[in-house]
Amino acid sequence: MSSIVANGAPSFDPLRDQPLTNGFHEPTVEELERELPIVQDGQVPLGELVSRVVQGIYAELSELAETMPNMSDMARKRTLADWVVQTKKQVVKLYAVVKWARDAEVVQKAMNVTAFLMDQNRQFEDAIHGLKYARDGLDPARLRNHDLLTALDVLTTGSYRRLPSCIKKAVIPPTPLTDEEVAKTLADIEDAMRYRLRMAEIVPVEMSRYRIDSGRVHFTVPRLFDVSLCAKGAQSNDGWFMVDVEFLFTVGCDQSGMQEFPRRPSGPLRRHILDEGDARLAFYLPLPADQQPPPGVEIPPRPQLPEGFVDAPLVRLYNFLQMMSLSYQLEILWFQGERLRSLGWADYLTVGMTNNRQTLTVAYWIRKPASDAGRPQPQNRVRLPLLGGTLTISIVPVQPRAGSKSSRSPKNRVLAELQQRAKLDTARPSDEVESFKLQVKWQPEKGALGVVIPVEDTALPESELQVNPDDLDLEALLRKVITKHTEGILKFFKNQLQHGPMRNVFSDPGEVELISEDGSHALKTHLCADEMVIVTLDPRTGRLNLRDTGDLAAAGRGSRFALLTQTLNENPTMLIHFLVTLKFSTITESVEQKAKYLGLQSYRIRNFPREELQKLGPARGTLYIQLSRFPNHYLVLVITDEGFRYALISVKVLRDTVHANMIMEDLGWLEVRRIQGDEPGIFPQNAAMEADESSIGQRRKRASDDIGGRSDSVQHYSPRFNLDTRTLRELYAYCCARVAYTKVENQLKLRGIPYSHVSASGGSGLPEVAHTQSSLARSIPALCVQSSDILSGAPAAEAAMPNIRVIPLHWWCDEQAQVVTCVKLKYVQQPVGKRAGSSGVIRPSKRIIYDAREAIVSFLSEDVDKCVDEFLEEWARVSKMVVIAREVAQMSQQKHWRDVRLLSFDLQTVEFAYAADYTVSITCTDQLSPSGGSYDLRFARAAEDDAMGFDADERLRHNPHEAVEPFLRNVLRHGRLAVSLHRLVALLRDTLPIVTELEDIRHSAAEADVPVDVLPKAAGWFRVLYGDLRHALDFRLMTGARIAVLDGSHSLFAPHADAAAAAPASGKPNSKTGSSAGGADSDAGLLLQPIPDMKAIVLEAVKAAAEKGARGQVAPIDVGVICDASAVRLVARALYEGALQRLKQVGSVK
């Protein structure tokens, strides 16, 4: 494509494929922007800013997460609120910056344009200044005069003869040497230096390792330096000059150290070292001609060698570079110390260097002076030094060996002497080798952390206290010293724990161990079970730290250990006291936790006076576990240095004291090994515990035992403070049993009842209580009392065998404690009736269990404090029932009462038929009352048919004796029970015809609508009261089973009564009816009226009864009839009807 020409110039550029303007290329805006300088002065990348803000927020959050758990709740909230406000401000600022960053590109372009304009302005100003300088410089310039002589020489000879030769040398370059010439020259120089070193030059033995290469000689001194020298000439008086030097060391701990401290110096430092080395090499040489001072300047004269001395420049160089290398290493160690301070050691580490820069002193574990000078300090508080120790590194001369004036080895000393004789003959070198080294001294401060460490525990071998040039690391050297110091301090504390005043607490193997964790030492102290506390010493701060392991290493202990650590570091000598306190508090917490796990109520402190607490002996701590069923009794765990001691105490609260103080009424020590079954029984088998006659009923002595003794089995830790849940449960159960036994024993003592201890295995065999067993039940003895003692004065005492066992139950569980009293009967009375069962064991009530096969009655009492009273009450009831059942069972044989039979017997109630189907049920109540107790009688009719031939309707009627029950119950309360029972049965049988006939009379009167009332007056006295309430017939039982039917208005005991009539009536009625008979007769005489024509009615009734076939004797009297029981039905009915008819006739009854 041909270019277009506009105004004589092409308008298109084929190379750039762009149009031309006025024949020139016009750059685009993008090209112009690329030409602008990039200015980033004061600019920060937005990504870096956001990253820093986010990282800062994250770091603050991490710090809060570590520090806030140790704060209180209020402090945590305040800290978190402050952090949120501060962070919000930062985020808002960042948000504003991000908004501003939208215009960053425009601002950058403006800054670039501004920089471009400023650069153009500077160029214009520089051009102006250049033009002005040229004007000022050329203004005084003048053209020199023409050199005519030189011009003539050149024109005539073609050359010049008056110019200096240096101009020619400077202008015309010399001919360069060839490679062969260069190699030959270097070889000659090397040969000259080799000859000189071997034949004339004194080379220190320490620099005897050298090599010659590339025209230089390289001297290597291991672990110090490597220097290369070159000779100034081949002559013997030509000196040496340094070419290069390298210090042979390696900076440890951090790879960046080699960059900060290069082995091969550079820049001004290298120039300084080379100049100083050259000056020492040319110390005795004259100044070269080109270094002569300017005119008028006088320099001091050069030092001259004394006579007989030969210059030894290499010796001076060795001494100089040796000192430089050691100083360089010391400076590196000083720098590392300062860097440690900047990395968090500043408050606890000081680093100092002497003015001559040859001694470095590092002091660690710095403490600030106490700021509480105004507060009173405890008298026993030890004044602690303000530092833990010092580490000193200094450049010192190497001391001569023993028996020699030189510090060299014998071999090097011989080599040096041979070299000197061979090269100098009798002359002496101008300088001697001065050997130096870095010496490390460690001095632990006496009394640091209140501990005086033995010298042998602070001794480190010399090989450990050395600066290794191959690994320059001050921190490693410092940590090595601190580790040894820490080990010595912890060893001191370990020795104090095991052999000091607290040796009884921590003397067992494994209680205190010195362990190593991650290269640092720690003191592991066993507290109890798997609980341990680790005592460490912070190598940076020198502060003691406590941390625990085990189940109790929970969140609840963090703040506690932090407070303990803070208090401990104020006075580290209290560590032993703190560990002892922590051990026993942990033991207490562990036991308290187990008690809570078992649901037991425990207290660490009870309100006992000091003199009461002395009864428990010396103790590190106590835990009072209250017996839930016996609130005034406590199981006390006494924590001593040797282990646990267990006591059972009973307390009494003094209500009249201000603080309701408690006193210990009783205290007994427990033997846990016997309780756990390690020995045959719980109680000591000694004279005080044997159940002989002299000790029965006496207070038994309780012997103490070392329950915390060590086990024979080998364990890593001593088990003396290991109290498992099972043992605590058994101890608690045993205490409940002991209290229950004590309460029973006290009741027996109050009644003067002797007792002894026997095996309780018999009582546990009862089927009803077989499920209520404990692992301790076999080892807990029972109480044995004699029936003649406990049942003295009780009814039916002869029914029990001599030995009676008393066994408390349910002391091992949460149920109400009970006491079972087992009595074996002398004879077996089998239960009968519905409750008899088929197994031979019945439980008629909640508190009675009867084994008919063994004739054993077990009495259960739910009130331990009243168990003896309840037993006696139940025994009185049961024994009477047994006697009644036995007598009833024998009546049919002894009394020939064939229809008397036992229907039901269950120790609580006896039911029997006393005649035909007439039954009575007897129950005892209130047996311990002063009146001797009472009986409940319930009369009924048997369901089966009998020999008397009653039909179904008759059987459904009630027993007529039921109305007489209030009078009959008193019959059993007079005299011996067996005799009273026989009297009762006889009375029931004798009065049965009367009550049956009166029941028929009542029913017939009710059917005929005749107003007649039948009521009992006493056990053998019944009355038929007619409707007018003024006339009555009395039926009285007399001796010999005779029955008197009399006019109710006449009394057998009235003063006007006939002696003949009164005599037969004075015995039986009085004995069977009680003392109320006389009073009732008096009332009858006052209220009732005689029945009209009673004598005629009696005669007619006797005659009518005889006509109906009445049997037995019938004797009429003036006011009634006396007849046998067999004739009473006919006589009574005839007499009743006759009197009724007569009363109707006179109008008394309608």
Side-chain angles (χ1 to χ4, degrees):
M1 177 179 178
S2 60
S3 60
I4 303 174
V5 178
N7 297 327
S11 59
F12 187 82
D13 186 359
L15 297 178
R16 295 185 175 87
D17 197 19
Q18 292 180 354
L20 300 176
T21 302
N22 296 327
F24 298 96
H25 170 67
E26 185 70 22
T28 62
V29 176
E30 290 77 8
E31 292 176 345
L32 293 176
E33 290 180 355
R34 284 196 295 268
E35 294 296 331
L36 294 176
I38 304 300
V39 179
Q40 294 182 348
D41 186 21
Q43 301 293 314
V44 177
L46 180 62
E48 182 178 351
L49 179 61
V50 174
S51 177
R52 288 189 178 182
V53 172
V54 172
Q55 290 178 2
I57 294 175
Y58 177 76
E60 292 176 358
L61 273 177
S62 300
E63 183 179 359
L64 289 177
E66 294 177 357
T67 58
M68 286 180 63
N70 297 329
M71 301 180 183
S72 62
D73 183 64
M74 184 62 66
R76 281 198 299 268
K77 293 179 180 179
R78 183 171 59 253
T79 302
L80 189 60
D82 295 342
W83 179 84
V84 170
V85 172
Q86 185 66 23
T87 305
K88 181 179 179 181
K89 293 180 180 179
Q90 295 294 332
V91 174
V92 170
K93 293 179 182 178
L94 181 63
Y95 178 74
V97 171
V98 172
K99 289 291 187 179
W100 294 340
R102 296 178 179 178
D103 300 331
E105 184 177 358
V106 177
V107 174
Q108 183 67 46
K109 186 184 296 184
M111 292 180 64
N112 294 343
V113 172
T114 302
F116 175 77
L117 296 177
M118 292 177 64
D119 185 56
Q120 292 293 322
N121 186 36
R122 182 184 57 79
Q123 291 179 7
F124 286 136
E125 290 180 353
D126 289 345
I128 294 172
H129 288 299
L131 292 176
K132 183 179 180 182
Y133 176 77
R135 186 197 68 179
D136 295 341
L138 293 177
D139 188 35
R142 297 293 184 266
L143 183 63
R144 62 177 291 182
N145 296 330
H146 298 286
D147 190 2
L148 297 178
L149 295 177
T150 302
L152 290 175
D153 289 339
V154 172
L155 290 175
T156 57
T157 63
S159 179
Y160 63 92
R161 292 181 291 180
R162 294 176 178 84
L163 292 177
S165 60
C166 64
I167 296 178
K168 181 179 180 181
K169 294 180 180 179
V171 174
I172 302 173
T175 303
L177 298 176
T178 62
D179 293 341
E180 291 77 7
E181 292 174 341
V182 171
K184 184 178 182 305
T185 302
L186 291 178
D188 293 341
I189 294 175
E190 292 174 358
D191 291 340
M193 289 189 297
R194 187 176 296 109
Y195 177 80
R196 182 175 176 178
L197 291 174
R198 292 185 177 180
M199 299 304 294
E201 198 71 53
I202 297 297
V203 180
V205 178
E206 291 79 6
M207 295 176 62
S208 59
R209 296 176 56 185
Y210 64 86
R211 59 184 175 85
I212 301 174
D213 185 22
S214 300
R216 303 177 186 177
V217 56
H218 299 269
F219 293 96
T220 302
V221 181
R223 310 181 75 176
L224 284 178
F225 58 85
D226 186 343
V227 62
S228 59
L229 305 179
C230 189
K232 295 182 179 180
Q235 301 299 325
S236 59
N237 58 352
D238 289 336
W240 300 86
F241 66 91
M242 289 180 59
V243 179
D244 195 10
V245 66
E246 180 182 3
F247 296 103
L248 304 181
F249 63 81
T250 302
V251 180
C253 183
D254 190 1
Q255 297 297 329
S256 63
M258 296 301 296
Q259 300 177 2
E260 298 174 355
F261 301 98
R263 297 173 48 159
R264 195 182 299 274
S266 60
L269 178 61
R270 179 177 181 275
R271 184 69 264 165
H272 171 72
I273 294 175
L274 294 182
D275 291 343
E276 185 66 23
D278 291 344
R280 294 181 181 268
L281 288 172
F283 186 72
Y284 290 107
L285 296 179
L287 289 176
D290 57 351
Q291 293 186 6
Q292 293 298 326
V297 177
E298 294 185 3
I299 61 175
R302 301 288 294 175
Q304 300 296 324
L305 283 171
E307 184 177 357
F309 285 85
V310 179
D311 188 15
L314 296 182
V315 175
R316 291 192 299 273
L317 179 65
Y318 170 78
N319 292 338
F320 167 68
L321 291 180
Q322 175 189 228
M323 184 59 68
M324 286 295 299
S325 179
L326 295 177
S327 299
Y328 200 3
Q329 296 178 25
L330 193 62
E331 293 291 337
I332 293 174
L333 295 176
W334 174 82
F335 177 81
Q336 291 179 344
E338 292 295 338
R339 185 171 59 180
L340 277 178
R341 285 174 48 82
S342 65
L343 294 178
W345 292 59
D347 295 336
Y348 313 102
L349 186 73
T350 60
V351 180
M353 183 81 80
T354 57
N355 293 334
N356 59 1
R357 311 296 290 181
Q358 291 189 1
T359 302
L360 173 66
T361 303
V362 180
Y364 57 90
W365 295 352
I366 302 299
R367 285 178 173 268
K368 295 181 180 179
S371 58
D372 49 358
R375 293 186 296 177
Q377 299 296 326
Q379 296 180 358
N380 59 348
R381 183 168 181 176
V382 179
R383 185 177 296 275
L384 301 178
L386 299 181
L387 72 160
T390 57
L391 182 67
T392 304
I393 306 174
S394 56
I395 302 175
V396 297
V398 179
Q399 297 299 324
R401 292 176 176 266
S404 174
K405 296 181 180 181
S406 176
S407 61
R408 291 171 174 170
S409 64
K411 177 181 177 181
N412 290 341
R413 188 169 63 252
V414 171
L415 290 177
E417 292 176 357
L418 291 176
Q419 178 184 208
Q420 183 174 345
R421 291 178 183 178
K423 295 181 180 180
L424 302 182
D425 196 8
T426 60
R428 296 177 60 188
S430 60
D431 297 275
E432 295 291 341
V433 174
E434 300 173 357
S435 297
F436 290 87
K437 66 176 182 179
L438 288 175
Q439 184 184 53
V440 182
K441 289 185 178 180
W442 171 45
Q443 182 62 41
E445 190 70 17
K446 184 177 181 180
L449 274 72
V451 174
V452 180
I453 307 175
V455 178
E456 58 271 14
D457 289 339
T458 60
L460 276 174
E462 187 177 355
S463 58
E464 296 290 335
L465 285 178
Q466 283 187 350
V467 176
N468 184 13
D470 296 331
D471 186 13
L472 291 176
D473 190 352
L474 178 65
E475 182 179 0
L477 184 61
L478 185 61
R479 286 187 179 274
K480 187 182 301 181
V481 169
I482 292 176
T483 301
K484 186 63 177 179
H485 199 174
T486 301
E487 182 183 7
I489 292 175
L490 296 181
K491 276 186 178 180
F492 174 84
F493 286 129
K494 179 176 180 290
N495 182 67
Q496 288 293 313
L497 289 172
Q498 292 185 329
H499 305 287
M502 302 300 173
R503 58 183 176 272
N504 293 335
V505 182
F506 297 100
S507 59
D508 292 332
E511 287 291 311
V512 182
E513 294 181 352
L514 190 62
I515 62 175
S516 179
E517 292 184 345
D518 300 331
S520 60
H521 296 282
L523 190 65
K524 183 174 71 173
T525 305
H526 178 240
L527 300 180
C528 71
D530 60 345
E531 299 295 330
M532 291 172 290
V533 61
I534 307 297
V535 182
T536 59
L537 196 61
D538 192 338
R540 179 176 66 94
T541 63
R543 301 301 193 262
L544 291 168
N545 293 320
L546 300 178
R547 58 183 176 88
D548 63 340
T549 60
D551 293 340
L552 294 183
R557 287 213 206 167
S559 58
R560 176 183 176 186
F561 271 70
L563 180 60
L564 280 177
T565 301
Q566 180 180 358
T567 307
L568 177 61
N569 284 298
E570 294 178 358
N571 188 7
T573 58
M574 298 295 294
L575 176 62
I576 306 299
H577 173 72
F578 278 18
L579 288 179
V580 172
T581 303
L582 187 61
K583 180 181 182 69
F584 289 109
S585 64
T586 304
I587 293 172
T588 305
E589 289 177 0
S590 177
V591 177
E592 191 174 22
Q593 185 181 25
K594 290 181 174 63
K596 291 181 179 179
Y597 173 76
L598 294 175
L600 307 180
Q601 181 66 45
S602 61
Y603 305 90
R604 294 194 183 186
I605 300 175
R606 291 274 79 185
N607 199 16
F608 289 112
R610 180 175 300 177
E611 56 274 10
E612 290 294 321
L613 293 176
Q614 292 177 355
K615 297 180 181 179
L616 299 176
R620 293 287 184 177
T622 54
L623 187 68
Y624 302 88
I625 300 178
Q626 189 177 30
L627 306 186
S628 60
R629 292 183 294 273
F630 309 103
N632 292 331
H633 291 77
Y634 292 85
L635 167 62
V636 185
L637 277 70
V638 183
I639 305 173
T640 65
D641 292 348
E642 292 76 18
F644 287 111
R645 297 181 68 199
Y646 306 90
L648 175 62
I649 65 172
S650 62
V651 302
K652 178 181 179 181
V653 180
L654 303 178
R655 303 294 182 183
D656 55 345
T657 58
V658 177
H659 302 289
N661 294 337
M662 294 181 177
I663 60 172
M664 300 182 190
E665 290 186 320
D666 189 17
L667 184 146
W669 297 102
L670 307 180
E671 301 180 49
V672 71
R673 289 183 298 176
R674 296 190 176 190
I675 294 175
Q676 290 177 332
D678 295 342
E679 298 186 14
I682 284 184
F683 303 104
Q685 301 298 323
N686 51 27
M689 295 302 301
E690 292 178 355
D692 55 12
E693 295 180 358
S694 62
S695 63
I696 291 178
Q698 302 298 322
R699 181 180 183 84
R700 68 179 185 86
K701 299 179 181 178
R702 301 184 182 118
S704 62
D705 187 35
D706 183 13
I707 55 86
R710 299 181 186 177
S711 175
D712 294 335
S713 61
V714 179
Q715 297 182 359
H716 185 61
Y717 299 115
S718 172
R720 56 179 176 166
F721 289 112
N722 292 351
L723 179 63
D724 55 8
T725 307
R726 175 178 173 273
T727 303
L728 183 60
R729 184 189 297 111
E730 291 182 351
L731 281 171
Y732 180 83
Y734 174 78
C735 290
C736 294
R738 184 59 258 165
V739 174
Y741 274 90
T742 302
K743 289 181 176 294
V744 176
E745 292 172 1
N746 291 337
Q747 295 177 62
L748 296 176
K749 292 174 187 177
L750 290 175
R751 290 169 173 80
I753 301 174
Y755 61 88
S756 61
H757 294 95
V758 296
S759 174
S761 58
S764 61
L766 295 175
E768 294 294 331
V769 296
H771 65 283
T772 56
Q773 291 294 327
S774 169
S775 59
L776 295 177
R778 298 177 181 177
S779 59
I780 301 293
L783 297 176
C784 180
V785 297
Q786 298 297 312
S787 61
S788 59
D789 297 327
I790 193 171
L791 299 179
S792 177
E798 68 280 0
M801 296 293 284
N803 294 328
I804 297 178
R805 287 195 309 272
V806 182
I807 308 172
L809 296 176
H810 293 313
W811 41 262
W812 54 79
C813 58
D814 295 334
E815 298 181 12
Q816 181 67 30
Q818 297 178 348
V819 177
V820 59
T821 305
C822 301
V823 181
K824 184 174 179 62
L825 303 178
K826 288 184 178 180
Y827 47 84
V828 179
Q829 177 62 50
Q830 294 293 339
V832 294
K834 298 180 179 179
R835 293 187 178 183
S838 60
S839 62
V841 178
I842 63 171
R843 188 164 189 172
S845 68
K846 185 179 181 180
R847 300 194 298 182
I848 297 177
I849 302 173
Y850 180 46
D851 187 354
R853 294 172 298 185
E854 301 293 337
I856 296 178
V857 183
S858 299
F859 299 90
L860 292 177
S861 175
E862 295 184 352
D863 190 350
V864 179
D865 295 324
K866 299 179 181 179
C867 63
V868 176
D869 291 339
E870 292 183 359
F871 162 70
L872 294 176
E873 180 181 359
E874 292 294 334
W875 168 254
R877 180 183 298 113
V878 169
S879 61
K880 292 179 179 180
M881 293 298 101
V882 172
V883 171
I884 292 174
R886 181 190 61 184
E887 295 297 328
V888 170
Q890 297 175 356
M891 280 183 183
S892 61
Q893 301 295 332
Q894 295 178 356
K895 298 291 185 178
H896 303 289
W897 294 338
R898 303 300 179 186
D899 51 352
V900 176
R901 61 188 186 279
L902 185 64
L903 301 179
S904 175
F905 167 62
D906 59 2
L907 298 183
Q908 293 287 298
T909 304
V910 175
E911 184 180 3
F912 62 92
Y914 55 86
D917 63 342
Y918 292 91
T919 65
V920 61
S921 175
I922 304 177
T923 304
C924 300
T925 60
D926 196 16
Q927 296 303 304
L928 296 183
S929 63
S931 60
S934 60
Y935 296 87
D936 286 338
L937 278 64
R938 298 185 181 275
F939 294 91
R941 301 286 294 275
E944 61 272 15
D945 295 338
D946 53 24
M948 295 183 68
F950 291 105
D951 55 18
D953 292 338
E954 293 291 338
R955 291 196 300 269
L956 293 178
R957 293 183 301 171
H958 71 284
N959 190 329
H961 272 126
E962 183 176 358
V964 201
E965 190 270 340
F967 304 101
L968 294 176
R969 67 172 64 177
N970 294 325
V971 175
L972 294 176
R973 298 178 59 185
H974 301 283
R976 294 180 66 249
L977 181 61
V979 177
S980 300
L981 179 66
H982 283 271
R983 186 184 304 117
L984 174 65
V985 174
L987 181 61
L988 291 174
R989 293 175 62 86
D990 292 343
T991 58
L992 181 60
I994 300 175
V995 296
T996 54
E997 183 59 28
L998 292 179
E999 184 69 13
D1000 292 341
I1001 292 174
R1002 185 179 63 82
H1003 278 281
S1004 60
E1007 292 176 356
D1009 196 17
V1010 176
V1012 175
D1013 191 10
V1014 178
L1015 63 149
K1017 298 290 288 181
W1021 178 12
F1022 306 89
R1023 172 170 290 175
V1024 178
L1025 186 62
Y1026 291 98
D1028 59 354
L1029 303 179
R1030 291 180 300 172
H1031 300 86
L1033 283 178
D1034 283 349
F1035 294 77
R1036 293 177 179 267
L1037 179 64
M1038 304 177 66
T1039 58
R1042 295 173 301 164
I1043 301 172
V1045 184
L1046 307 173
D1047 185 353
S1049 62
H1050 295 273
S1051 173
L1052 296 177
F1053 306 98
H1056 61 275
D1058 183 67
S1066 63
K1068 192 72 176 182
N1070 191 30
S1071 62
K1072 293 200 174 188
T1073 59
S1075 61
S1076 61
D1081 287 342
S1082 300
D1083 295 341
L1086 294 175
L1087 300 177
L1088 298 179
Q1089 297 179 4
I1091 299 175
D1093 300 330
M1094 185 59 186
K1095 187 173 181 180
I1097 296 174
V1098 169
L1099 295 176
E1100 292 178 2
V1102 171
K1103 183 178 179 181
E1107 292 177 354
K1108 293 182 179 179
R1111 300 178 181 180
Q1113 297 179 359
V1114 179
I1117 58 178
D1118 293 339
V1119 292
V1121 177
I1122 298 176
C1123 62
D1124 294 334
S1126 58
V1128 69
R1129 294 181 65 89
L1130 296 176
V1131 174
R1133 177 59 65 94
L1135 192 57
Y1136 161 75
E1137 292 178 352
L1140 180 62
Q1141 292 296 330
R1142 182 58 182 164
L1143 292 175
K1144 287 183 178 181
Q1145 292 175 3
V1146 297
S1148 297
V1149 178
K1150 296 181 181 180

